[in-house]
Amino acid sequence: MEKEYFLRDVLKAVDVSVSVGLYLVNTHHHHAARKFYQESTTLLEFIEESLHQKNEPRKELDQETGDTEKEAEVYFQLGACYSFVGQKEQAVEFVEKSMQIRQTEEHQESLVDCLNLLANNLLSPGQAKEAFERLQKALQVSEENAGGFIKSIALMALGHAYKDIGEYDKAKEYYQRMIRVSEEFHVSNLGAMAYYHIAELLMELQQYEESMKSIEKALELCEESKLTEQTTLSKGDIYITLCKIHLLLGQHDKADECVKQILTENRPKNNLDRSVSLFQLGAFFSVNGKLEQACDIISESIKCYESERDLFNDEFKLSSGDMVEHLELYRHYCLLLVALGKPVQALCTAERARARLLAEMLAEKYAIREKAELSENDLSILLKSLNQNQIVVFIATPRGKRITFWIMKNDASLEMRNPKSANQDTPWKAYFESLSYGRSINSEDRSLLALYDIQSAADGTQHDRIREKRLFEDSDDEELEAQNLPNQLYYTLIAPIADRIQNREVVLVPEGSMAMVPFAALQDDSGKYLSDSCRVRIIPSLSTLKLILDSPENYHSQTGALIVGDPQVSHVTPLWQLKAARQEAREIANLLEVEPLLGEQATKEEVLRRIPVVCLIHIAAHGDAERGEIACAPNPSSPQIPAKEDYMLTMGDIASVRIRAKLVVLSCCHSAKGKIMQAEGVMGIARAFIASGARSVLVSLWAVDDKATKEFMIRFYGHLKYDKMSASEALHQTMKWMRESKTARYTVREWAPFVLIGDDVNLDV
């Protein structure tokens, strides 16, 4: 009896997860819904395991609770969620699980939904035959057992499928059959959908007069039926198509009237779909030279997207923010504003798509209640906070490969440059390889590669002369002369703005993978490096900089340093001991007159305890930029064979504390690297510290010789401590010393990889 009540309680939890998941699906929050369906699946698997262990037949529970339909629905909705986010293999896997249950239990109407969804995810050039077989089977099942709604859905799915492969006559045939079914069953909302899809099809075939008749019929049925929530079509969708047809027929006044109707209509729940439709309509107006109207429409499209985006979790915000169609919204709007002579608004639009999640996280850390979005007034205030020697350069590519520069000074002036010669075809990746992977270096492997079985030391020694793994295996530019590339990059990224940035501190806001360019090492025609005449630092976005500058005065610590070197992990992981990192940490600690955390003292627990209260953090350890992890020593309470969470400092751990450091120095392999996202920038260890409250982070673009790294760090901290330089000036002078040194003869590989991200800071160390 206790077992029965217990299982029923578990099934109630399944019911709750399914219900919440269904609500989220119906409101188009598919990523959030996935979490609840996965939770439901886990609970169902627990039930299965419980019954199996007691050797009791599943059928008894089925008869008592009827949970097979719950399980089938969980699997189906999981499949729908995976389908929505483009993960077709997972979608097919879960839909087939749902079908197996529903075929056994003869849930025929639900089976039609499964077959339709399965076919939609199989409809690719290599699987079209199988997809159509499944769709035809769905139609057959619906004709034998289902009502008008299910039958119409099956017919519509076949119409869509034939349209996708270019068989327009067949597609039109199935849409017309859908009309007849809707009339037979008196379901006018489904008739409206059928006429709408026929209008779209005829518009593609350039049969505009016939398309107009069909869309007007759709509008008539829409007015009759007051489209129900069961349909994905809205009145606004119909007006958007109607507006396009008016434009194509040259009926501009009528198109303008449709725009008024569209913009005043109450927004439906499926704002993502509406956003896409509005964007397409805005593009129509752009092509026809009606830029003002296009601006209004795409502005509304962005509002729809952002209203939906604000409801999603961080995972969805990351993925949706980097989807091409969503980036194109901002790019197209930016171009329209440029064409209309509004460069400031264009910049704010380009910025609006840049590192938004990072800005939201920072606003939360700093308890800043205002929306983390840069307005024209915010931009003016931000620029006036700069000193006379600072200049901000925002780099973006709203025109595709063509680069646009916005140059800003502290008088709030703004100049936009869009040189015709500048483009992204310059092979900077090959140059990056030539610097970071061009020869063997005497360097410890401070990455986590060995832990993940990606790479191991060649001869089993802990301090091997390693040759770095090539990152860009697919580069077509490997045979280019490396010495020519710095000049090409300079010509693309610096030459168009060179007259404005000489002898200044340049704050660069690069886009996407441009953040990985070693700007300090770019050379002009005479061979002069950019760092000979400029100090350079990077910020992910203007909003990020504004939030850092607006942070409460007492937020960041004024004193204290945490120096971490060579956390002891070699006894519990395949990672080697880092003797050079230990020596580096010891010498820096001596210089700053603090006690370092070394070896087994550098536990995860102790690092997390000290991180929130110090002004400076220096970590020389095994790190992984892409995963955002740093290997610490296991906690004292860990078992003999500790779990990963007992010693690995993750991005989640960093996010859980309020880091108040003015400066974080990550002396780990490739600490500037990470997953490169066009909108959010580089997602790695450096970003994790910035998002958690650090004012600035010093990182390296590639692995550097151990001796050179130690010399760099000692001189850098000497400038901070004894010369009272800011971090930016200390970095600049240290690079200059290494570049001009006649005794050590450091190469560009030794001094060029170090990058300061965030604000410039002064430390009392």
Side-chain angles (χ1 to χ4, degrees):
M1 196 68 174
E2 288 182 10
K3 180 204 72 177
E4 180 184 328
Y5 285 129
F6 174 71
L7 291 176
R8 283 181 176 173
D9 287 342
V10 174
L11 285 166
K12 284 180 183 177
V14 173
D15 273 336
V16 170
S17 290
V18 172
S19 299
V20 175
L22 277 170
Y23 170 76
L24 291 169
V25 167
N26 289 334
T27 55
H28 287 247
H29 299 126
H30 294 76
H31 282 76
R34 226 166 62 193
K35 172 186 174 184
F36 289 95
Y37 291 133
Q38 286 167 337
E39 180 181 315
S40 305
T41 305
T42 302
L43 291 168
L44 287 164
E45 287 173 353
F46 174 77
I47 293 171
E48 294 275 11
E49 185 179 348
S50 174
L51 291 171
H52 178 72
Q53 286 174 352
K54 294 182 178 296
N55 294 317
E56 296 184 34
R58 171 182 176 146
K59 202 167 185 180
E60 290 181 14
L61 182 68
D62 294 347
Q63 291 172 346
E64 188 69 32
T65 63
D67 77 302
T68 53
E69 179 55 26
K70 294 186 184 72
E71 184 175 7
E73 182 64 18
V74 168
Y75 287 138
F76 173 76
Q77 293 294 347
L78 261 176
C81 292
Y82 277 115
S83 177
F84 176 80
V85 297
Q87 299 180 33
K88 293 198 171 186
E89 287 184 11
Q90 293 94 324
V92 169
E93 175 190 345
F94 283 108
V95 175
E96 286 183 335
K97 282 185 177 182
S98 181
M99 284 177 61
Q100 287 172 3
I101 297 170
R102 283 169 165 167
Q103 283 176 328
T104 303
E105 300 297 317
E106 297 182 351
H107 302 296
Q108 296 298 299
E109 291 191 15
S110 302
L111 187 58
V112 173
D113 293 338
C114 289
L115 287 165
N116 280 326
L117 183 58
L118 191 59
N120 289 338
N121 284 280
L122 290 172
L123 193 60
S124 61
Q127 296 176 299
K129 182 179 178 183
E130 184 180 354
F132 279 104
E133 287 175 354
R134 291 179 184 272
L135 283 170
Q136 289 290 354
K137 185 177 179 182
L139 179 59
Q140 180 185 348
V141 170
S142 69
E143 288 176 334
E144 293 173 355
N145 302 280
F149 183 79
I150 296 297
K151 189 174 180 180
S152 293
I153 296 301
L155 288 166
M156 185 168 63
L158 274 160
H160 290 349
Y162 278 111
K163 182 183 174 185
D164 287 344
I165 64 172
E167 293 193 25
Y168 294 113
D169 288 340
K170 293 286 288 183
K172 186 177 178 182
E173 175 190 329
Y174 280 103
Y175 292 143
Q176 288 172 334
R177 285 178 63 182
M178 183 179 171
I179 291 172
R180 290 195 292 272
V181 170
S182 69
E183 291 172 348
E184 178 187 349
F185 287 88
H186 306 289
V187 192
S188 54
N189 58 341
L190 293 174
M193 292 180 71
Y195 278 111
Y196 169 81
H197 291 302
I198 289 174
E200 289 271 303
L201 185 151
L202 292 170
M203 188 168 56
E204 286 190 32
L205 294 173
Q206 299 182 13
Q207 298 175 21
Y208 304 133
E209 295 289 352
E210 292 301 311
S211 179
M212 177 65 77
K213 292 176 184 177
S214 190
I215 200 66
E216 286 176 343
K217 185 65 177 176
L219 186 59
E220 178 188 331
L221 291 173
C222 170
E223 298 285 3
E224 285 180 12
S225 65
K226 307 298 183 186
L227 293 177
T228 69
E229 292 186 3
Q230 284 181 297
T231 65
T232 58
L233 183 69
S234 73
K235 190 175 178 181
D237 294 324
I238 295 174
Y239 269 105
I240 287 170
T241 298
L242 180 61
C243 185
K244 290 179 185 177
I245 299 170
H246 280 311
L247 272 178
L248 291 167
L249 288 170
Q251 300 167 350
H252 296 286
D253 290 343
K254 291 183 177 180
D256 291 343
E257 286 300 315
C258 284
V259 170
K260 291 178 184 177
Q261 185 73 32
I262 292 163
L263 296 181
T264 56
E265 183 206 14
N266 291 329
R267 292 181 194 163
K269 291 183 178 179
N270 54 333
N271 270 330
L272 286 181
D273 291 345
R274 177 174 165 83
S275 174
V276 172
S277 298
L278 286 169
F279 176 52
Q280 293 170 349
L281 181 61
F284 259 68
F285 273 85
S286 297
V287 170
N288 283 270
K290 298 169 77 67
L291 303 187
E292 291 284 357
Q293 293 95 324
C295 241
D296 291 341
I297 295 166
I298 294 180
S299 174
E300 179 67 15
S301 174
I302 290 174
K303 287 177 184 176
C304 287
Y305 164 63
E306 291 183 344
S307 69
E308 201 78 358
R309 177 191 178 278
D310 291 342
L311 301 174
F312 291 128
N313 59 21
D314 291 349
E315 177 194 358
F316 180 84
K317 288 178 181 178
L318 274 180
S319 59
S320 70
D322 228 49
M323 289 179 183
V324 174
E325 59 267 28
H326 297 148
L327 287 174
E328 284 303 312
L329 274 177
Y330 296 96
R331 285 175 173 167
H332 201 100
Y333 191 43
C334 179
L335 286 174
L336 285 169
L337 291 166
V338 169
L340 291 168
K342 300 177 179 180
V344 177
Q345 294 94 320
L347 170 62
C348 289
T349 298
E351 161 66 22
R352 202 163 161 183
R354 189 76 62 87
R356 292 191 61 181
L357 181 56
L358 174 59
E360 290 168 8
M361 295 171 75
L362 270 177
E364 184 180 346
K365 286 291 180 184
Y366 295 146
I368 296 174
R369 294 182 180 179
E370 292 81 6
K371 198 168 184 178
E373 185 177 294
L374 198 73
S375 66
E376 292 179 47
N377 185 55
D378 292 332
L379 178 62
S380 177
I381 294 170
L382 172 63
L383 295 178
K384 288 176 182 177
S385 70
L386 303 175
N387 64 47
Q388 290 187 341
N389 196 46
Q390 291 175 325
I391 193 163
V392 176
V393 179
F394 187 98
I395 311 174
T397 56
R399 298 174 187 267
K401 290 184 176 180
R402 288 269 296 278
I403 297 175
T404 299
F405 301 88
W406 282 267
I407 307 163
M408 296 159 274
K409 296 188 294 187
N410 73 330
D411 60 0
S413 63
L414 182 145
E415 179 184 358
M416 190 180 72
R417 293 187 178 183
N418 182 32
K420 292 182 180 179
S421 56
N423 64 74
Q424 287 196 94
D425 289 336
T426 304
W428 67 265
K429 288 182 178 180
Y431 175 48
F432 185 88
E433 283 192 354
S434 75
L435 288 172
S436 56
Y437 309 110
R439 64 184 178 90
S440 296
I441 56 172
N442 190 32
S443 172
E444 294 173 327
D445 182 3
R446 298 187 188 180
S447 72
L448 293 176
L449 294 176
L451 184 63
Y452 296 105
D453 297 321
I454 299 173
Q455 175 179 305
S456 58
D459 61 2
T461 60
Q462 63 185 18
H463 196 100
D464 184 31
R465 288 179 61 82
I466 62 170
R467 187 175 187 88
E468 291 292 334
K469 179 178 175 66
R470 294 176 69 84
L471 289 185
F472 306 108
E473 303 285 354
D474 58 348
S475 175
D476 295 325
D477 309 300
E478 292 179 9
E479 297 181 1
L480 289 172
E481 292 293 330
Q483 62 268 27
N484 294 332
L485 294 173
N487 182 262
Q488 291 183 51
L489 280 166
Y490 184 94
Y491 185 68
T492 300
L493 296 172
I494 302 301
I497 57 173
D499 59 319
R500 290 288 184 265
I501 64 175
Q502 291 296 314
N503 302 313
R504 288 180 178 271
E505 180 187 4
V506 184
V507 182
L508 289 173
V509 194
E511 181 180 87
S513 57
M514 290 181 199
M516 299 300 293
V517 173
F519 285 95
L522 302 188
Q523 294 173 279
D524 62 17
D525 291 332
S526 67
K528 187 178 180 180
Y529 292 109
L530 178 63
S531 52
D532 285 326
S533 58
C534 298
R535 288 160 49 187
V536 179
R537 61 186 163 95
I538 302 292
I539 56 170
S541 69
L542 294 170
S543 300
T544 302
L545 180 60
K546 180 182 181 298
L547 286 162
I548 290 173
L549 295 177
D550 288 348
S551 60
E553 284 187 20
N554 60 351
Y555 183 89
H556 293 96
S557 299
Q558 301 300 313
T559 59
L562 170 63
I563 312 298
V564 178
D566 183 30
Q568 186 64 45
V569 288
S570 58
H571 63 299
V572 294
T573 71
L575 301 173
W576 301 110
Q577 187 178 348
L578 301 174
K579 290 184 177 180
R582 183 180 291 234
Q583 185 60 27
E584 174 190 315
R586 185 177 283 120
E587 293 194 27
I588 291 169
N590 288 339
L591 177 71
L592 301 179
E593 300 177 351
V594 296
E595 284 295 321
L597 272 181
L598 304 174
E600 61 185 16
Q601 296 177 330
T603 64
K604 175 179 175 177
E605 188 177 275
E606 186 63 17
V607 169
L608 283 173
R609 187 182 73 81
R610 297 195 191 187
I611 271 181
V613 296
V614 294
C615 177
L616 169 69
I617 300 169
H618 180 101
I619 300 178
H622 289 287
D624 185 286
E626 292 188 18
R627 294 178 180 84
E629 298 174 342
I630 297 173
C632 296
N635 291 326
S637 58
S638 302
Q640 189 171 7
I641 303 177
K644 188 178 173 182
E645 56 267 23
D646 292 321
Y647 63 87
M648 197 65 73
L649 187 66
T650 66
M651 292 177 74
D653 293 320
I654 296 168
S656 67
V657 297
R658 289 188 181 274
I659 293 177
R660 300 179 183 272
K662 286 186 175 181
L663 176 64
V664 176
V665 180
L666 299 174
S667 189
C668 310
C669 274
H670 312 289
S671 52
K673 280 172 48 187
K675 182 179 180 181
I676 297 173
M677 306 188 76
Q678 193 73 1
E680 284 294 324
V682 182
M683 302 288 294
I685 296 177
R687 176 187 162 109
F689 278 93
I690 290 284
S692 297
R695 201 170 182 100
S696 59
V697 182
L698 181 65
V699 288
S700 173
L701 288 166
W702 56 77
V704 183
D705 181 271
D706 289 331
K707 182 180 178 183
T709 300
K710 187 173 73 171
E711 291 298 320
F712 173 90
M713 291 298 176
I714 294 298
R715 183 152 299 257
F716 172 75
Y717 282 110
H719 285 313
L720 289 177
K721 180 177 175 65
Y722 300 118
D723 301 326
K724 302 302 179 184
M725 291 182 181
S726 69
S728 176
E729 179 64 17
L731 173 62
H732 180 71
Q733 292 300 329
T734 302
M735 283 184 170
K736 184 175 185 292
W737 170 76
M738 294 185 80
R739 188 169 60 249
E740 297 176 355
S741 175
K742 295 180 180 178
T743 54
R745 295 185 177 180
Y746 295 107
T747 68
V748 67
R749 294 181 180 89
E750 274 79 39
W751 60 262
F754 300 101
V755 180
L756 186 67
I757 303 172
D759 190 22
D760 192 15
V761 294
N762 289 89
L763 302 179
D764 184 15
V765 292

